[in-house]
Amino acid sequence: MLIAHIEVPFADVSAASLTFRPDAPPMPVLDRMDRDAGPLRLSLRLLGASHQAVVATPDGFIAETLAYRTNLGPDLPETFSQRVGAWRHRYECTVETLPVPELRRRVRALRDRAVQRTAEPDLLVGLFGGDPDALTALEVTGTDPLSWRTVHTYPQYGEVVTTSSRVEPVS
């Protein structure tokens, strides 16, 4: 079962307080999931109510960090693209505001999927004390091209932040 019960204080943040950074240094990791995809090595890292993805390529590292950071102003772009050598990283982000029953349905579905994925685990769900609907989910969605998705829920605001990312060779 890939459900991590995170023993950190619940932070009352919203999508509007998040910052995306492709150049953030490694941050303290609460849990992680690593995957190989050909010459690439993905490390999806659970950072409390946020995430950091680091991809080791033959040409260097690609990173994305989505986090609440007190020392940086909020910045949550809908799209981002970067190139490292012969590799392109694409990131997309959506923010939805949902009624409580719909948000709870999505949280329950993610938790259920994490419990069912035992043979080839590709989904890590971090649950936070203080609110049963507060979670961060990290999921490897493909290896050719390497792709992943994250879901962050902020139940006090009824928000779901979903990111989709991929790294592929530049053609």
Side-chain angles (χ1 to χ4, degrees):
M1 174 166 50
L2 282 174
I3 294 183
H5 294 275
I6 307 301
E7 300 299 327
V8 295
F10 177 68
D12 188 22
V13 301
S14 69
S17 61
L18 296 173
T19 299
F20 172 82
R21 289 289 182 262
D23 56 355
M27 298 176 71
V29 176
L30 301 173
D31 207 339
R32 69 191 284 165
M33 179 171 52
D34 297 322
R35 293 291 176 271
D36 291 320
L40 306 176
R41 173 98 173 143
L42 169 65
S43 178
L44 284 176
R45 302 168 180 183
L46 186 61
L47 312 173
S50 53
H51 81 273
Q52 186 170 54
V54 178
V55 180
T57 78
D59 300 327
F61 289 94
I62 293 171
E64 71 177 42
T65 303
L66 181 68
Y68 169 69
R69 306 211 21 218
T70 56
N71 59 336
L72 296 173
D75 177 23
L76 188 59
E78 291 180 13
T79 62
F80 176 81
S81 180
Q82 66 179 323
R83 183 175 173 172
V84 173
W87 302 93
R88 167 116 15 237
H89 167 227
R90 297 180 193 277
Y91 156 96
E92 294 180 357
C93 179
T94 59
V95 178
E96 300 172 273
T97 303
L98 303 174
V100 171
E102 175 62 16
L103 182 121
R104 286 189 175 148
R105 186 192 67 72
R106 290 205 194 169
V107 167
R108 189 171 41 253
L110 281 167
R111 291 171 80 154
D112 290 349
R113 284 183 52 222
V115 169
Q116 295 168 4
R117 301 274 177 116
T118 55
E120 187 66 33
D122 56 1
L123 175 65
L124 171 64
V125 174
L127 303 176
F128 301 92
D131 193 319
D133 295 326
L135 66 73
T136 296
L138 312 173
E139 181 177 23
V140 177
T141 55
T143 56
D144 189 19
L146 177 62
S147 56
W148 62 94
R149 178 177 82 115
T150 72
V151 178
H152 308 266
T153 61
Y154 302 100
Q156 66 280 19
Y157 298 98
E159 293 177 330
V160 176
V161 176
T162 304
T163 71
S164 298
S165 302
R166 65 192 299 151
V167 172
E168 56 194 343
V170 176
S171 50

